[in-house]
Amino acid sequence: MIDQVAEKVVRRVILGFLLGGLLLLSYAVLHLFIVPVAWAVIIAYATWPAHRQLRSRLPRYPTITALLMTVLLSAAFVLPALWIGMLLRTEVGVAIAAVTAQIREGAFVLPEFVRTLPWIGDDLQALLDELTREPEALRAQLTEWVRQGSNLVLTLIGDVGRNAAKLGFALITVFFLYRDGERVLEQVVAVLRRFLGERLDPYLAAVGGMTKAVVWGLIATAIGQGFVAGLGYWWAGVPAPVLMGAITAVIAMIPFGTPFAWGSIGVWLLLTGNTVEGIGLLLWGALVVSWVDNLVRPLVISNATRIPFLLVMFGVLGGLAAFGLVGLFLGPVVLAVLMAVWREWLEESEFARLAAIASPAGGREEGEGGRRS
């Protein structure tokens, strides 16, 4: 009997080492594709209802429906990115030239109500005079700031070529998920159920609900902010309000990033003497655009998943810092699973307490405790 137990333990130890080695080797082979696959899973899951409707029209051609959905997704990602990229290449240069021309026409003068602010009004005007004393030097400084900003963006999202490759791998993975996703999900569920048992169902429900809520909460809120901000740009007479609205929508994907978009444009309007338009745009951004960002998005996500607002915010910001852009979705999903585990343990503890009270021994203890009290 002892020999059989020892042999079983040795087999399990050897099997554990083999599985651990295989996992490490698999990670070494596949770690470059983890992020594209994560994007593919998120996109496929969020757009699965649309794919299901398309597949119901062509039930005999799953490969064709998967290919059509992948082509539509490619157009939805690539075409707007190319359009914004081409416009930015021209608009940034035009904006710098406009700033330099404005400086040549005369010095910037802050509005009266800004210059009369205690402690900071005179300092702001002195700083502005220092910056605008030499137009060419300011032009070089603006170009340097644009370059530094571009480097920061590239640091966050990576270089264009690498992201194009990631996007390509993600779209290829999405195609196969559309075509074979149901079979893959069944196999994954079967394997996970061996380890988690019936607990797997609430965990999968938490992951699915949070993924949908975050994807559509981020996208819908970003589009709404871009549209509302574009209306403010159009009213203020900002050149290319559609482009500025599109850029604002992209920036709105990052929490609390939208004020940098409409705030910088509002400050520029104030510096160029358009006081009414500048104040109006700043008020519009603070009262309307930011309201969409700071209220609607957390409420959409937290109401759909029954997760507290603070936890959603921490998940989005912490995921962004830990995993990059894909962390916008992975962070809240991880916390959603944690909340599912937490609630399950609380329910088990409450059930155990009620069972103890309902048992005869528990009832006697309750009665004795009541008499002693």
Coordinates of all heavy atoms in Angstrom, one line a residue, residues 162-203:
R162 N 4.8 47.8 -35.7 CA 4.5 46.7 -34.8 C 3.0 46.6 -34.5 O 2.4 45.5 -34.5 CB 5.2 46.9 -33.5 CG 5.1 45.8 -32.5 CD 5.9 46.0 -31.2 NE 5.5 47.2 -30.5 CZ 6.1 47.7 -29.5 NH1 7.3 47.2 -29.1 NH2 5.7 48.8 -28.9
N163 N 2.3 47.8 -34.4 CA 0.8 47.7 -34.2 C 0.1 47.2 -35.4 O -0.9 46.6 -35.3 CB 0.3 49.1 -33.8 CG 0.6 49.4 -32.3 OD1 0.1 48.6 -31.4 ND2 1.4 50.3 -32.0
A164 N 0.6 47.6 -36.6 CA 0.0 47.0 -37.8 C 0.1 45.5 -37.8 O -0.9 44.8 -38.2 CB 0.6 47.6 -39.0
A165 N 1.2 45.0 -37.4 CA 1.4 43.5 -37.4 C 0.4 42.9 -36.3 O -0.2 41.9 -36.6 CB 2.8 43.2 -37.1
K166 N 0.4 43.6 -35.1 CA -0.6 43.1 -34.1 C -2.0 43.1 -34.6 O -2.8 42.2 -34.3 CB -0.4 43.9 -32.8 CG 0.9 43.7 -32.1 CD 0.9 44.5 -30.8 CE 2.2 44.3 -30.0 NZ 2.2 45.1 -28.8
L167 N -2.4 44.2 -35.3 CA -3.7 44.3 -35.8 C -4.0 43.2 -36.8 O -5.1 42.6 -36.9 CB -3.9 45.6 -36.5 CG -5.3 45.9 -37.1 CD1 -6.4 45.8 -36.1 CD2 -5.4 47.2 -37.8
G168 N -3.0 42.9 -37.7 CA -3.1 41.8 -38.6 C -3.3 40.5 -38.0 O -4.3 39.7 -38.3
F169 N -2.5 40.1 -37.0 CA -2.7 38.9 -36.2 C -4.0 38.8 -35.5 O -4.7 37.8 -35.4 CB -1.5 38.7 -35.2 CG -0.2 38.3 -35.9 CD1 0.9 39.1 -35.7 CD2 -0.1 37.2 -36.7 CE1 2.1 38.8 -36.3 CE2 1.1 36.9 -37.3 CZ 2.2 37.7 -37.1
A170 N -4.4 40.0 -35.0 CA -5.7 40.0 -34.3 C -6.9 39.7 -35.2 O -7.8 39.0 -34.9 CB -5.9 41.4 -33.6
L171 N -6.8 40.3 -36.4 CA -7.9 40.1 -37.4 C -7.9 38.7 -37.9 O -9.0 38.1 -38.1 CB -7.8 41.1 -38.5 CG -8.0 42.6 -38.2 CD1 -7.7 43.4 -39.4 CD2 -9.5 42.7 -37.7
I172 N -6.7 38.1 -38.1 CA -6.7 36.7 -38.5 C -7.3 35.8 -37.4 O -8.1 34.9 -37.6 CB -5.2 36.3 -38.8 CG1 -4.7 37.0 -40.0 CG2 -5.1 34.7 -39.0 CD1 -3.2 36.8 -40.3
T173 N -7.0 36.1 -36.1 CA -7.5 35.3 -35.0 C -9.0 35.5 -34.9 O -9.8 34.6 -34.6 CB -6.8 35.8 -33.7 OG1 -5.4 35.7 -33.8 CG2 -7.3 34.9 -32.5
V174 N -9.5 36.8 -35.2 CA -10.9 37.0 -35.1 C -11.6 36.2 -36.2 O -12.7 35.6 -35.9 CB -11.2 38.5 -35.4 CG1 -12.7 38.8 -35.7 CG2 -10.9 39.3 -34.1
F175 N -11.1 36.0 -37.4 CA -11.7 35.2 -38.4 C -11.9 33.8 -37.9 O -13.0 33.2 -38.1 CB -10.8 35.2 -39.7 CG -11.2 34.2 -40.7 CD1 -12.3 34.3 -41.5 CD2 -10.4 33.0 -40.8 CE1 -12.6 33.4 -42.4 CE2 -10.7 32.0 -41.7 CZ -11.9 32.2 -42.5
F176 N -10.9 33.2 -37.3 CA -11.0 31.8 -36.9 C -11.9 31.7 -35.6 O -12.6 30.7 -35.5 CB -9.6 31.2 -36.5 CG -8.8 30.9 -37.8 CD1 -7.8 31.8 -38.2 CD2 -9.1 29.8 -38.5 CE1 -7.1 31.5 -39.3 CE2 -8.4 29.5 -39.7 CZ -7.3 30.3 -40.1
L177 N -12.0 32.8 -34.8 CA -12.9 32.7 -33.7 C -14.4 32.8 -34.2 O -15.2 32.1 -33.7 CB -12.6 33.9 -32.8 CG -11.4 33.8 -31.9 CD1 -11.2 35.1 -31.1 CD2 -11.5 32.6 -31.0
Y178 N -14.6 33.6 -35.2 CA -15.9 33.7 -35.8 C -16.3 32.3 -36.4 O -17.4 31.8 -36.2 CB -16.0 34.7 -36.9 CG -16.1 36.1 -36.4 CD1 -15.5 37.2 -37.1 CD2 -16.9 36.4 -35.3 CE1 -15.6 38.5 -36.7 CE2 -17.0 37.7 -34.9 CZ -16.4 38.7 -35.5 OH -16.5 40.0 -35.1
R179 N -15.4 31.7 -37.0 CA -15.7 30.4 -37.7 C -15.8 29.2 -36.7 O -16.7 28.4 -36.8 CB -14.6 30.1 -38.8 CG -15.0 29.0 -39.8 CD -13.9 28.6 -40.7 NE -12.8 27.9 -40.0 CZ -11.7 27.4 -40.6 NH1 -11.6 27.5 -41.9 NH2 -10.8 26.8 -39.9
D180 N -14.9 29.2 -35.8 CA -14.8 28.0 -34.9 C -14.9 28.4 -33.4 O -14.6 27.6 -32.5 CB -13.4 27.3 -35.1 CG -13.1 27.0 -36.5 OD1 -14.0 26.4 -37.2 OD2 -12.0 27.2 -37.0
G181 N -15.4 29.6 -33.1 CA -15.4 30.1 -31.8 C -16.3 29.2 -30.8 O -15.9 29.0 -29.7
E182 N -17.4 28.7 -31.3 CA -18.3 27.9 -30.5 C -17.6 26.6 -30.0 O -17.7 26.2 -28.9 CB -19.6 27.7 -31.2 CG -20.4 28.9 -31.4 CD -21.7 28.6 -32.2 OE1 -21.8 27.5 -32.8 OE2 -22.6 29.5 -32.3
R183 N -17.0 25.9 -31.0 CA -16.3 24.7 -30.6 C -15.1 25.0 -29.6 O -14.9 24.3 -28.7 CB -15.7 24.0 -31.8 CG -16.8 23.4 -32.7 CD -16.2 22.4 -33.6 NE -15.2 23.0 -34.5 CZ -15.5 23.5 -35.7 NH1 -16.8 23.5 -36.2 NH2 -14.6 24.0 -36.5
V184 N -14.4 26.1 -29.9 CA -13.3 26.4 -29.0 C -13.8 26.7 -27.6 O -13.2 26.3 -26.6 CB -12.5 27.6 -29.5 CG1 -11.5 28.1 -28.5 CG2 -11.8 27.3 -30.8
L185 N -14.9 27.5 -27.5 CA -15.5 27.8 -26.2 C -15.9 26.6 -25.4 O -15.7 26.4 -24.2 CB -16.7 28.8 -26.4 CG -17.3 29.2 -25.1 CD1 -16.4 30.0 -24.2 CD2 -18.5 30.1 -25.4
E186 N -16.5 25.6 -26.1 CA -17.0 24.4 -25.5 C -15.8 23.6 -24.9 O -15.8 23.1 -23.8 CB -17.7 23.5 -26.5 CG -19.1 24.1 -26.9 CD -19.7 23.2 -28.0 OE1 -19.1 22.2 -28.4 OE2 -20.9 23.5 -28.4
Q187 N -14.7 23.6 -25.7 CA -13.5 22.9 -25.2 C -12.9 23.6 -24.0 O -12.5 22.9 -23.0 CB -12.5 22.8 -26.3 CG -12.9 21.9 -27.5 CD -11.9 21.9 -28.6 OE1 -10.8 22.5 -28.5 NE2 -12.3 21.3 -29.7
V188 N -12.8 24.9 -24.0 CA -12.3 25.7 -22.9 C -13.1 25.5 -21.6 O -12.6 25.3 -20.5 CB -12.2 27.2 -23.2 CG1 -11.8 28.0 -22.0 CG2 -11.1 27.4 -24.3
V189 N -14.5 25.5 -21.8 CA -15.4 25.3 -20.7 C -15.2 23.9 -20.1 O -15.2 23.8 -18.9 CB -16.8 25.6 -21.1 CG1 -17.8 25.2 -20.0 CG2 -17.0 27.1 -21.4
A190 N -15.1 22.9 -21.0 CA -14.9 21.6 -20.5 C -13.6 21.4 -19.7 O -13.6 20.7 -18.6 CB -14.9 20.6 -21.7
V191 N -12.6 22.0 -20.1 CA -11.3 21.9 -19.4 C -11.4 22.7 -18.0 O -11.0 22.2 -17.0 CB -10.1 22.4 -20.2 CG1 -8.8 22.5 -19.4 CG2 -9.9 21.5 -21.4
L192 N -11.9 23.9 -18.1 CA -12.0 24.7 -16.9 C -12.9 24.1 -15.8 O -12.7 24.2 -14.6 CB -12.4 26.1 -17.2 CG -11.4 27.0 -18.0 CD1 -12.0 28.3 -18.3 CD2 -10.1 27.1 -17.2
R193 N -14.0 23.4 -16.3 CA -14.9 22.8 -15.4 C -14.3 21.7 -14.6 O -14.7 21.4 -13.5 CB -16.2 22.3 -16.2 CG -17.4 22.1 -15.3 CD -18.6 21.7 -16.1 NE -19.0 22.8 -16.9 CZ -19.7 23.8 -16.5 NH1 -20.1 23.9 -15.3 NH2 -20.1 24.8 -17.4
R194 N -13.3 21.0 -15.1 CA -12.6 20.0 -14.4 C -11.9 20.6 -13.1 O -11.7 19.9 -12.1 CB -11.6 19.3 -15.2 CG -12.2 18.5 -16.4 CD -11.2 17.7 -17.1 NE -10.5 16.7 -16.2 CZ -9.5 15.9 -16.5 NH1 -9.0 16.0 -17.8 NH2 -9.0 15.1 -15.7
F195 N -11.5 21.8 -13.2 CA -10.7 22.5 -12.1 C -11.7 23.3 -11.2 O -11.5 23.3 -10.0 CB -9.7 23.4 -12.6 CG -8.6 22.7 -13.4 CD1 -8.6 22.6 -14.8 CD2 -7.5 22.1 -12.8 CE1 -7.6 22.0 -15.5 CE2 -6.5 21.5 -13.5 CZ -6.6 21.4 -14.9
L196 N -12.7 23.9 -11.8 CA -13.5 24.8 -11.0 C -14.9 24.3 -10.7 O -15.6 24.8 -9.8 CB -13.7 26.2 -11.7 CG -12.4 26.9 -12.0 CD1 -12.7 28.2 -12.8 CD2 -11.7 27.3 -10.7
G197 N -15.3 23.2 -11.4 CA -16.6 22.7 -11.2 C -17.8 23.6 -11.5 O -17.7 24.4 -12.5
E198 N -18.8 23.6 -10.7 CA -20.0 24.5 -10.9 C -19.6 26.0 -10.6 O -20.4 26.8 -11.0 CB -21.1 24.1 -10.0 CG -21.6 22.7 -10.3 CD -22.1 22.5 -11.8 OE1 -22.7 23.5 -12.3 OE2 -21.9 21.5 -12.4
R199 N -18.5 26.3 -10.0 CA -18.2 27.7 -9.8 C -17.8 28.4 -11.1 O -17.8 29.6 -11.1 CB -17.0 27.7 -8.8 CG -17.2 27.3 -7.4 CD -16.0 27.4 -6.6 NE -16.3 27.1 -5.2 CZ -15.4 27.2 -4.2 NH1 -14.2 27.6 -4.5 NH2 -15.7 26.9 -3.0
L200 N -17.6 27.6 -12.1 CA -17.2 28.2 -13.4 C -18.3 29.1 -14.0 O -18.0 30.2 -14.6 CB -16.8 27.1 -14.4 CG -16.4 27.6 -15.8 CD1 -15.1 28.4 -15.8 CD2 -16.2 26.4 -16.7
D201 N -19.5 28.7 -13.8 CA -20.6 29.5 -14.4 C -20.7 30.9 -14.0 O -20.8 31.8 -14.8 CB -22.0 28.8 -14.2 CG -22.0 27.4 -14.8 OD1 -21.4 27.2 -15.9 OD2 -22.6 26.5 -14.3
P202 N -20.7 31.2 -12.7 CA -20.7 32.7 -12.3 C -19.5 33.4 -12.7 O -19.5 34.6 -13.1 CB -20.8 32.6 -10.8 CG -20.4 31.3 -10.4 CD -20.8 30.4 -11.5
Y203 N -18.3 32.7 -12.8 CA -17.1 33.4 -13.3 C -17.2 33.8 -14.7 O -16.9 34.9 -15.1 CB -15.9 32.5 -13.0 CG -15.6 32.2 -11.6 CD1 -14.8 31.1 -11.3 CD2 -16.2 32.9 -10.6 CE1 -14.5 30.8 -9.9 CE2 -16.0 32.5 -9.2 CZ -15.1 31.5 -8.9 OH -14.9 31.2 -7.6

